[in-house]
């Protein structure tokens, strides 16, 4: 493929893509610069080459690309005008469905991306508590593009120092790190923000048998009047139909959803307890107002129609049980092939089966971007795109077999690199982390 697409992208889009995870520096040099379309579990480049796609649009597609039922629902509401001057019927239906679906939610506000949803939850927490500080989990990679989060990463350029100082960090599965923050800043922390799970299930509770770290967080927040914000952008509609909060038996004060909730259409949500959500309302006479979310396209009818159709499809087709089953088989397959090819010392697949992960380590057990790049490069040669692992309902036995063939060939090259190094095997530069201070 011509390099002209990459140059054209960089010429008109900062970074060449609208999400840094899609950037050229996240992929090996033989990855397609640009894609044209997708269907089911596959994407296609402009030359017509097909790739089994384990990226699934940054996890936003859960059923499959261009799913007919979902597309038909979106098209229906586009035909109804798509965006109206007053609330639409599908807006009400989607809101009532979401409130019915998620146990902790009494009210919901829709928006178009996860960043604005999580930032809205932070704003509500500050308004409710009168406090300024935010405690966010350092082990979870991304909550928002807004200053309160980015300022606490290693890319703080452009963020005022007072804003940077307002966000503090704690560690997942280490409740004492959150306790230490609360002890250091008593009566100053407005909210705790974390995901329910990423690479593994939450560990056991320190205090109560049969419970988890998440229950400890919940208790600590309640004890100190801190708003418990659970980010379910990834876990929502993947761990369980009612969210990871239902799977783990917790009840956050506020929660945020997005990604797979509308099978690739732009829908995200912030929801939670009525007393918090109503701070952003207008009907309570004399109440000081919180300007919560005001998005022209937040209630776009096509996206909300897609959400309703996606959720109904999940209920009717056992989509989430399929994630767990396929993911469990995939983890086993990857580790078995790694053992067979002699690369198990540098490769590991694991995680929660509905959302697996893989990683490469070097001889010192540090994360190896070189081996990961080589692996992805060889997978692309076999028609498999695996920058990470996101599953969809349209992945089945054929896709497992294609994956096994590709992985076997890729691991043979990894085994070779273990002896000789990656020099001469990599066709281009090593992929870089998204969060880095310098390009």
């Amino acid at each position: 493929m011509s390099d002209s697409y990459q140059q054209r992208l960089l010429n008109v889009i900062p970074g060449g893509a609208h999400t840094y995870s899609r950037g050229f520096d996240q992929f090996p040099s033989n990855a397609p610069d640009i894609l044209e379309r997708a269907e089911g579990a596959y994407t296609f480049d402009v030359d017509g080459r097909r790739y089994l796609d384990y990226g699934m649009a940054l996890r936003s597609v859960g059923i499959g690309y261009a799913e007919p039922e979902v597309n038909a629902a979106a098209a229906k509401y586009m035909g109804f005008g798509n965006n109206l001057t007053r609330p639409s019927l599908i807006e009400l239906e989607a809101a009532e469905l979401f409130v019915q679906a998620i146990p902790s939610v009494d009210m919901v506000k829709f928006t178009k991306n996860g960043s604005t949803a999580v930032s809205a939850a932070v704003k509500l927490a500050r308004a409710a508590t009168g406090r300024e500080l935010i405690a966010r989990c350092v082990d979870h990679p991304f909550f928002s593009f807004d200053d309160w989060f980015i300022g606490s990463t290693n890319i703080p350029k452009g963020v005022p120092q007072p804003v940077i100082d307002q966000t503090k960090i704690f560690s997942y599965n280490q409740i004492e790190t959150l306790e230490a923050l609360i002890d250091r800043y008593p009566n100053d922390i407005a909210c705790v923000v974390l995901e329910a799970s990423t690479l593994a299930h939450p560990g056991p509770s320190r205090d109560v048998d049969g419970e988890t770290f998440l229950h400890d967080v919940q208790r600590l927040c309640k004890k100190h009047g801190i708003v418990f914000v659970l980010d379910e952008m990834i876990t929502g509609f993947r761990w369980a139909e009612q969210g990871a909060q239902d799977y783990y038996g917790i009840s956050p004060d506020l929660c945020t959803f997005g990604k797979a909730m509308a099978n690739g259409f732009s829908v995200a949500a912030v929801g939670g307890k009525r007393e918090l959500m109503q701070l952003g309302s207008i009907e309570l006479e004399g109440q000081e107002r919180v300007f919560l979310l005001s998005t022209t396209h937040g209630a776009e009818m096509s996206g909300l129609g897609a959400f309703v159709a996606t959720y109904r499809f999940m209920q009717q087709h056992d989509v989430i049980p399929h994630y767990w089953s396929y993911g469990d088989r995939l983890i086993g397959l990857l580790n078995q092939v790694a053992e067979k090819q002699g690369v198990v010392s540098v490769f590991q697949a694991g995680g929660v089966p509905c959302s697996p992960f893989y990683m490469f380590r070097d001889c010192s057990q540090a994360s190896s971007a070189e081996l990961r790049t080589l692996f992805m490069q060889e997978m692309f040669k076999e028609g498999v795109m695996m920058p990470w692992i996101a599953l969809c309902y349209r992945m089945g036995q054929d896709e497992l077999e294609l994956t096994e063939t590709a992985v076997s060939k890729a691991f043979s090259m990894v085994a070779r690199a273990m002896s000789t190094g990656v020099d001469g095997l990599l066709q281009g530069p090593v992929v870089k982390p998204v969060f880095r201070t310098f390009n």
Side-chain angles (χ1 to χ4, degrees):
M1 184 184 298
S2 170
D3 290 337
S4 64
Y5 283 112
Q6 189 62 66
Q7 292 305 314
R8 287 167 61 187
L9 287 164
L10 289 168
N11 188 49
V12 293
I13 304 170
H18 283 85
T19 308
Y20 285 111
S21 296
R22 288 188 173 103
F24 72 90
D25 59 349
Q26 302 301 296
F27 292 86
S29 61
N30 67 332
D33 289 343
I34 203 163
L35 297 170
E36 183 175 56
R37 64 185 183 89
E39 182 178 357
Y42 297 88
T43 52
F44 299 82
D45 67 21
V46 294
D47 296 323
R49 186 172 184 193
R50 187 183 78 162
Y51 300 90
L52 172 59
D53 186 0
Y54 280 102
M56 295 312 296
L58 283 67
R59 305 180 191 274
S60 70
V61 175
I63 299 173
Y65 288 112
E67 186 62 36
E69 285 186 37
V70 178
N71 284 2
K76 170 184 173 181
Y77 289 103
M78 288 172 63
F80 283 7
N82 202 40
N83 208 344
L84 308 181
T85 306
R86 293 298 312 278
S88 68
L89 192 60
I90 189 61
E91 183 176 348
L92 175 60
E93 182 181 350
E96 288 180 336
L97 176 62
F98 189 86
V99 169
Q100 179 186 16
I102 309 303
S104 68
V105 172
D106 298 319
M107 302 181 78
V108 62
K109 192 98 171 186
F110 293 115
T111 182
K112 302 306 285 184
N113 62 68
S115 287
T116 53
V118 181
S119 289
V122 167
K123 188 174 189 178
L124 280 176
R126 284 172 159 165
T129 63
R131 303 170 181 176
E132 292 186 352
L133 300 189
I134 300 160
R136 69 98 173 168
C137 184
V138 70
D139 302 295
H140 298 156
F142 188 78
F143 290 109
S144 177
F145 65 76
D146 287 313
D147 288 357
W148 70 265
F149 171 72
I150 294 298
S152 69
T153 72
N154 60 354
I155 319 176
K157 188 175 177 64
V159 182
Q161 189 62 47
V163 176
I164 294 173
D165 294 340
Q166 289 175 342
T167 298
K168 311 300 179 183
I169 60 175
F170 67 95
S171 298
Y172 190 71
N173 276 337
Q174 297 180 40
I175 195 64
E176 64 276 5
T177 63
L178 181 56
E179 287 178 323
L181 274 185
I182 295 171
D183 289 344
R184 185 176 180 182
Y185 304 102
N187 303 313
D188 290 331
I189 298 176
C191 60
V192 167
V193 184
L194 79 164
E195 296 181 60
S197 172
T198 52
L199 300 182
H201 291 300
S205 165
R206 185 188 61 187
D207 301 321
V208 179
D209 289 343
E211 293 189 345
T212 71
F213 163 77
L214 296 175
H215 293 88
D216 290 343
V217 172
Q218 182 174 266
R219 272 189 293 273
L220 204 54
C221 287
K222 185 174 182 179
K223 178 181 178 181
H224 295 278
I226 297 169
V227 177
F228 177 21
V229 179
L230 191 70
D231 180 347
E232 292 227 45
M233 289 297 153
I234 292 175
T235 60
F237 307 113
R238 282 195 180 274
W239 265 240
E241 285 181 8
Q242 296 179 307
Q245 58 191 269
D246 182 64
Y247 183 87
Y248 294 120
I250 57 171
S251 183
D253 299 309
L254 295 170
C255 55
T256 58
F257 284 72
K259 296 289 188 185
M261 70 182 291
N263 200 49
F265 285 86
S266 179
V267 181
V270 56
K273 291 180 167 51
R274 186 173 302 277
E275 59 267 28
L276 293 172
M277 295 296 294
Q278 274 191 330
L279 295 174
S281 197
I282 59 173
E283 77 275 18
L284 302 176
E285 295 273 344
Q287 174 180 283
E288 185 177 2
R289 293 184 64 187
V290 175
F291 203 82
L292 178 55
L293 278 172
S294 187
T295 58
T296 298
H297 301 290
E300 187 178 32
M301 296 167 70
S302 56
L304 296 181
F307 159 60
V308 171
T310 297
Y311 190 77
R312 300 299 188 205
F313 188 101
M314 287 181 177
Q315 291 180 307
Q316 295 165 7
H317 295 86
D318 291 329
V319 171
I320 291 173
H322 179 74
Y323 296 155
W324 287 84
S325 173
Y326 186 96
D328 188 59
R329 294 166 67 193
L330 180 62
I331 291 170
L333 182 155
L334 291 172
N335 287 325
Q336 288 166 15
V337 177
E339 181 75 36
K340 182 178 180 180
Q341 296 280 7
V343 301
V344 72
S345 64
V346 298
F347 174 85
Q348 177 191 359
V352 181
C354 64
S355 183
F357 73 87
Y358 73 86
M359 66 173 61
F360 284 90
R361 291 192 172 98
D362 59 24
C363 58
S364 68
Q365 293 302 296
S367 178
S368 175
E370 291 83 2
L371 291 178
R372 181 170 175 264
T373 307
L374 179 63
F375 172 77
M376 286 196 292
Q377 171 187 288
E378 299 306 305
M379 293 291 279
F380 270 110
K381 290 179 180 178
E382 301 304 319
V384 178
M385 187 185 310
M386 192 181 273
W388 50 81
I389 301 175
L391 307 179
C392 80
Y393 180 68
R394 294 305 179 191
M395 292 175 178
Q397 184 60 35
D398 288 347
E399 286 66 40
L400 273 177
E401 292 175 3
L402 173 57
T403 303
E404 183 174 13
T405 299
V407 167
S408 296
K409 295 181 179 180
F411 280 165
S412 68
M413 189 65 75
V414 171
R416 183 176 167 188
M418 290 169 64
S419 300
T420 66
V422 298
D423 290 346
L425 301 180
L426 277 179
Q427 298 174 0
V430 173
V431 297
K432 298 179 180 179
V434 168
F435 287 95
R436 60 185 191 273
T437 305
F438 299 99
N439 287 327

